[in-house]
Amino acid sequence: MHASTQGRRDRNPFAGQGARVVRALPWLLVAPLFLVPLGAALAAGRATAASGPGFLAILASPSILASLRFSLLEALASTLLALALGLPGAWLLARFTFPGRRLYAALGGIPFVFPPVLFTLGFVRAWGRNGLINAGLMHLFGLQAAPLDFVYSFSGVVIAHALLDFPLVVGLVGTVWSRVPRTPEEAARCLGAGEGRIFATITLPSILPGVAAAASLVFLYCFMSFAIPLALGGGPACATLEVSIYAAVSGQQDFARAGSIAMIEGVCAVGVLALYSLLNARSAAASSAAPQERLPLAAQRPGTRRAAALWLAATAALALSPLGALVLSSFTQVGRWGGAPSWSLAAYQKTFSDPASLRAMADSALLAVAVALLAVTIAVLLLLGEGRDGKTGLRGIFFALPIALSSVMLSLGYLVLFPLGAGVGALALVQATAAYPLAWRTLSAARSRIPAGLDQAATLLGASRPRILATIDLPLLRQALGSSLALCGAISLGEVNAALMLNPTDFPLLGLRAYRLMGSYQYPLACAMGVLVCLIAGLAFSAADGLAEPAS
Amino acid sequence: MNHHLFSKRALLRVLGAALLLGGGALRAQDRDLVIYAYDSFVAEWGPGPKVIPLFEKEQGCKVTLVSKGDAGQVLSAAVLEKAAPKADVLIGLDGNLVAKAIKADVLQSYVPRNRALIPAGLDFDPTHHLTPFDYGYFSLIWDSQKLANPPRTLADLAKPEFARKLILMDPRTSAPGLGFLATLVATQGEHWPAFWKSIKPSILTIASGWNAGYGMFTQGEAPLVISYSTSPAYHVQNDKTSRYKALLLPEGQVIQIEGAGIVKGARHADLAKAFIEFMLTTKFQGELPLTQWMYPVNAAVALPASYSVTPRPAKVLRVDPAALDRAVAQWPDVATR
């Protein structure tokens, strides 16, 4: 085959007219999904801008600078702690098989499925001064005062963020690490290099882009966090920029100010996003097609076995502590909340006997499926229009914007666009917009690992393009498709902001229901809702992982 | 005999059905009243689902009740659509938002024909842009199982025995949070920053909203929280416990009066006027105590027995909205120092 056509084929699976249409579709269909609400929100600022401080004046104001500084600091600290908690687990996930491996990997869905207010309550219930762990420690050691008193401080914010997000690191880095070719390491070992040297000179450079990509994502989520820093930080010193945007919209009806702060936040977020895109592409390029062979943990030295088991158990317990606290709280009697626990299934009895809450469960699951399918479809559409090499450039950053946009600003946009609320179709689209960037990245990384040689061989044997897609590419992407679907479904289940703004009153949703229950004193019921949400999401993740390579 | 697969009539029916199934905006017909309210009004446990059907039946119309988030966002929504308003009635703007709503010129003045039902002293808008429908008092709530000696005055909060025992909320993002700041402004005037500094050691945390803050309080993280004076009534009514008590200070309590208004340029002004008047009747007001946990303005409504657990405050504080706005602008710096 001619060298130049071969190169072009490698860059784009659909050459010619079809390719142009496929490349244009995202700009026509996907870009408006997030540009229109953003534009509406910014236009609102332009329209109602009276005399007021200009953009630079707002940027220079001490409280905004303080919020920016805090947002950056807490995001950095949270990311570092999340990496510390997540990397060893990622290594274990990548290199070994052990009972419960799939469950440990499923923890990666928790960050997406937990509405932040519920997470805050669960975290406080577990680690707070009157929390379960302090109560246990005090009982065990006969202490008078609570030994762990870190929750309401900068450390509390950082630890809460880290506990929430480290499973993400485990999942993302675990996948990357499992595909790092083993042969260079083994060769070095044969040549007599020590383990430390192997790690420093061979392993680390190959996983570093993947680690940095995961770190960038965690940084972004923490940077734009709203409820957790404020609730745990102890004061406005611990307010992120999102809080200032919200205060401008709701407290002052000053949309111009909100827009200016959102732009400051957006510039930083896009910067991090650019870093993430770059690193993600580099890590995808460095990995191989199939996961490397995993060794059974049971066959390792007893010391390694014990240390690994301890680490896995400890980190799993940490990740599950807020959820576990909520589970325990949901079993307290509706009414004795906060007092001595009197066990009761009342919350669950109420939940399962109330037709409205049963409907909420069914409808949330349905919406989650719709959102998952929509988001993955968008992701596949984006995927078709790009080359196989995983390089994304500006297009990659642009279409990943939804995760870098302020959710308060987007809510403001929906306020403008849908004054009378909107149907569930619009809500599905909105949630899918928030979810597709992650699905896209997962699929893109998976596809870049398919060796081009496979497609070329099939073409040589006479297979047509669609047949190649159906019989070679898609089956190899099956696992990535499955986990993307589960991820997007989980994001939908835990989403409250858009549901609140678009308010489909005849379509009750679990997340929104839990939020409203909290607003009417009914905390145990809210916890029961939250537990159900996590359960459904957890099931979806396990099922998705079940689509994985058979020998795992 | 019609040989076509789809007759014109069927096609029109299909088109009509498709239009009806389309977005919410298309559902609003001419006899529809559109109301914007805050979320807890619209929620299943709020008054909305109970009172709206009553009005619909009475007037033979359909009501579209839309949640906009919190009261501030209700006003924001009205400001944004000022040029072509879709809403007819705004529910939930309180005394703090009155001035902003009038300044934004999104409401029209209306004196309801049954305004005699409103006690003097609760008519918080002399220009009649907003008609009050319920009210409450912000008050500190304390847990009698965790605190033997509660503070008796505001100044007591500064005592070392209450270190890290108080949960507050951000006044920028929460009504009770704003209520606490209002209490300080009303009692300390321009010297409130110094007072805040003195009570700072007592503050455990400042939550983003009532949900999180009150939740932490009932979890036992701290024995004092800012909330409404009717909160203990909820626990008596539903949890059968009287451990949570309201702290009525000798300095007085700040009152929060919530009102509803007709949007300027509303498309269904007559229905809107009827709704405002409906809001003052016992049919509407009677649903408020057990859903809003606020006092109805209509004095003829019998309050549930649980409400007697908190007496009415001896002194009611009112704060100048402009002074409060200045305080909110200053607050982030004061609270950070």
Side-chain angles (χ1 to χ4, degrees):
Chain A
M1 232 183 284
H2 210 273
S4 62
T5 48
Q6 184 172 25
R8 213 170 56 224
R9 276 237 176 83
D10 282 340
R11 273 209 309 280
N12 197 322
F14 296 94
Q17 280 288 57
R20 266 199 284 274
V21 172
V22 165
R23 270 200 299 267
L25 277 177
W27 296 96
L28 295 170
L29 295 178
V30 179
L33 288 178
F34 56 90
L35 284 182
V36 170
L38 184 66
L42 291 173
R46 195 67 50 83
T48 59
S51 63
F55 175 77
L56 286 172
I58 292 177
L59 176 59
S61 77
S63 59
I64 296 297
L65 280 177
S67 294
L68 180 61
R69 195 168 46 236
F70 171 76
S71 303
L72 290 169
L73 272 174
E74 62 92 357
L76 188 65
S78 308
T79 306
L80 290 173
L81 187 57
L83 285 175
L85 286 172
L87 287 177
W91 175 69
L92 288 169
L93 214 64
R95 289 294 164 89
F96 301 102
T97 60
F98 46 87
R101 187 181 165 276
R102 263 211 243 149
L103 287 171
Y104 195 77
L107 291 176
I110 290 181
F112 298 105
V113 93
F114 238 128
V117 189
L118 260 183
F119 175 82
T120 309
L121 277 184
F123 182 77
V124 169
R125 188 87 178 110
W127 298 96
R129 300 198 308 167
N130 199 42
L132 296 163
I133 296 187
N134 267 324
L137 288 173
M138 280 163 70
H139 185 82
L140 219 61
F141 298 108
L143 301 164
Q144 290 291 58
L148 297 173
D149 197 5
F150 61 87
V151 170
Y152 303 103
S153 63
F154 185 81
S155 322
V157 177
V158 169
I159 292 172
H161 274 156
L163 285 194
L164 182 61
D165 289 329
F166 89 82
L168 204 65
V169 173
V170 170
L172 292 174
V173 178
T175 311
V176 166
W177 210 327
S178 72
R179 292 168 199 271
V180 165
R182 211 61 62 78
T183 34
E185 286 173 26
E186 275 155 24
R189 207 169 281 127
C190 280
L191 291 168
E195 288 302 322
R197 188 152 171 208
I198 295 176
F199 184 79
T201 55
I202 297 175
T203 319
L204 203 57
S206 37
I207 61 164
L208 208 54
V211 170
S216 315
L217 198 61
V218 172
F219 185 93
L220 208 55
Y221 285 142
C222 295
F223 179 69
M224 306 190 55
S225 189
F226 181 107
I228 295 170
L230 209 51
L232 301 177
C238 290
T240 53
L241 286 171
E242 281 285 287
V243 174
S244 310
I245 301 172
Y246 184 86
V249 172
S250 176
Q252 301 156 325
Q253 286 80 39
D254 190 348
F255 311 118
R257 182 183 166 83
S260 300
I261 304 174
M263 271 198 267
I264 298 168
E265 189 194 54
V267 164
C268 298
V270 168
V272 176
L273 196 62
L275 193 68
Y276 166 69
S277 285
L278 183 73
L279 293 165
N280 210 18
R282 286 250 287 267
S283 92
S287 56
S288 72
Q292 304 290 294
E293 191 197 321
R294 288 194 190 93
L295 306 166
L297 191 60
Q300 302 304 303
R301 284 198 316 270
T304 318
R305 253 200 342 253
R306 257 181 259 131
L310 213 65
W311 178 264
L312 289 169
T315 48
L318 281 177
L320 291 171
S321 56
L323 179 58
L326 282 187
V327 171
L328 284 172
S329 299
S330 65
F331 285 111
T332 30
Q333 193 167 3
V334 175
R336 303 280 182 258
W337 167 273
S342 56
W343 303 106
S344 143
L345 289 171
Y348 288 101
Q349 280 169 342
K350 249 191 167 188
T351 305
F352 285 104
S353 63
D354 181 5
S357 90
L358 288 172
R359 252 200 89 188
M361 276 188 262
D363 288 349
S364 297
L366 272 173
L367 181 65
V369 168
V371 170
L373 289 171
L374 261 175
V376 170
T377 307
I378 296 174
V380 168
L381 185 65
L382 285 166
L383 204 65
L384 291 175
E386 71 183 18
R388 186 173 281 275
D389 52 12
K391 279 210 195 76
T392 50
L394 284 173
R395 180 178 178 274
I397 299 168
F398 179 77
F399 281 107
L401 272 180
I403 51 176
L405 293 175
S406 157
S407 61
V408 180
M409 279 306 275
L410 287 173
S411 295
L412 180 62
Y414 303 139
L415 204 72
V416 174
L417 294 169
F418 301 107
L420 295 181
V424 73
L427 180 60
L429 266 179
V430 164
Q431 290 187 343
T433 310
Y436 85 74
L438 290 156
W440 178 36
R441 285 292 117 217
T442 310
L443 289 172
S444 184
R447 190 180 72 165
S448 66
R449 290 192 283 267
I450 299 173
L454 278 178
D455 276 13
Q456 288 169 8
T459 315
L460 272 174
L461 290 170
S464 63
R465 288 262 149 240
R467 184 152 177 205
I468 293 177
L469 188 71
T471 56
I472 297 178
D473 288 353
L474 281 182
L476 286 172
L477 287 177
R478 207 178 48 170
Q479 192 230 346
L481 279 171
S483 62
S484 298
L485 283 169
L487 193 63
C488 296
I491 292 175
S492 164
L493 282 170
E495 209 281 327
V496 175
N497 281 327
L500 206 64
M501 277 301 118
L502 297 178
N503 187 43
T505 40
D506 52 355
F507 203 80
L509 296 167
L510 279 179
L512 189 58
R513 209 174 157 78
Y515 177 81
R516 285 177 168 170
L517 280 167
M518 275 193 280
S520 67
Y521 294 96
Q522 301 177 66
Y523 292 98
L525 274 179
C527 289
M529 291 280 130
V531 168
L532 285 170
V533 166
C534 289
L535 210 69
I536 298 174
L539 284 171
F541 266 91
S542 291
D545 228 36
L547 292 170
E549 319 93 26
S552 67
Chain B
M1 204 38 195
N2 199 338
H3 291 287
H4 296 287
L5 199 56
F6 295 107
S7 68
K8 252 193 205 154
R9 211 179 292 158
L11 207 61
L12 280 171
R13 269 196 224 121
V14 169
L15 271 173
L19 278 173
L20 280 173
L21 287 170
L26 290 166
R27 280 198 218 112
Q29 286 139 35
D30 244 357
R31 274 301 280 167
D32 249 16
L33 184 68
V34 177
I35 305 178
Y36 290 174
Y38 51 67
D39 197 59
S40 53
F41 189 92
V42 177
E44 191 182 311
W45 305 276
K50 296 191 167 65
V51 296
I52 296 298
L54 294 175
F55 182 75
E56 286 178 325
K57 196 161 160 215
E58 199 179 276
Q59 295 286 330
C61 70
K62 215 183 155 297
V63 174
T64 307
L65 182 63
V66 186
S67 159
K68 286 293 171 188
D70 63 21
Q73 286 170 307
V74 169
L75 181 57
S76 291
V79 169
L80 285 168
E81 57 180 47
K82 213 165 111 173
K86 304 226 174 27
D88 301 303
V89 175
L90 303 180
I91 292 182
L93 304 185
D94 64 7
N96 187 46
L97 291 170
V98 169
K100 294 185 185 145
I102 295 176
K103 189 162 163 223
D105 197 26
V106 288
L107 296 170
Q108 52 176 285
S109 179
Y110 177 64
V111 180
R113 286 171 296 177
N114 50 359
R115 69 179 287 245
L117 293 169
I118 308 170
L122 288 179
D123 214 348
F124 66 152
D125 179 16
T127 65
H128 301 291
H129 285 88
L130 282 172
T131 303
F133 68 92
D134 72 13
Y135 63 101
Y137 305 100
F138 293 114
S139 122
L140 290 170
I141 308 294
W142 61 285
D143 185 351
S144 59
Q145 276 185 19
K146 301 246 164 186
L147 213 56
N149 297 312
R152 295 196 189 286
T153 68
L154 264 185
D156 279 353
L157 286 175
K159 285 192 184 151
E161 67 193 86
F162 298 114
R164 305 189 80 212
K165 286 193 158 45
L166 175 63
I167 296 176
L168 295 175
M169 291 126 214
D170 194 318
R172 299 170 294 179
T173 58
S174 147
L178 186 62
F180 184 78
L181 187 61
T183 311
L184 296 192
V185 171
T187 53
Q188 315 288 327
E190 297 297 318
H191 302 291
W192 72 265
F195 184 81
W196 185 280
K197 199 166 167 200
S198 72
I199 64 165
K200 208 167 167 200
S202 303
I203 304 173
L204 177 69
T205 190
I206 303 182
S208 57
W210 183 88
N211 287 10
Y214 200 81
M216 289 193 251
F217 167 73
T218 51
Q219 279 176 346
E221 288 297 299
L224 286 162
V225 71
I226 182 73
S227 179
Y228 290 90
S229 67
T230 47
S231 293
Y234 173 87
H235 296 288
V236 168
Q237 179 89 23
N238 292 297
D239 301 348
K240 315 285 185 255
T241 177
S242 55
R243 66 186 275 191
Y244 302 114
K245 299 184 196 295
L247 206 67
L248 295 179
L249 301 165
E251 293 97 326
Q253 312 299 129
V254 166
I255 190 170
Q256 184 196 31
I257 307 173
E258 295 185 321
I262 304 178
V263 173
K264 187 169 181 186
R267 291 180 299 171
H268 311 104
D270 291 328
L271 263 182
K273 289 175 181 167
F275 191 83
I276 299 285
E277 278 149 16
F278 170 72
M279 285 178 83
L280 294 174
T281 64
T282 45
K283 260 201 271 184
F284 179 98
Q285 296 271 309
E287 298 293 345
L288 295 178
L290 290 175
T291 53
Q292 291 275 84
W293 294 96
M294 302 278 272
Y295 293 99
V297 294
N298 189 330
V301 170
L303 294 171
S306 52
Y307 269 60
S308 60
V309 76
T310 309
R312 303 269 183 155
K315 189 164 172 224
V316 172
L317 293 169
R318 286 176 202 252
V319 66
D320 170 37
L324 188 57
D325 275 349
R326 277 197 306 274
V328 172
Q330 258 185 297
W331 182 78
D333 295 319
V334 171
T336 316
R337 260 190 273 120

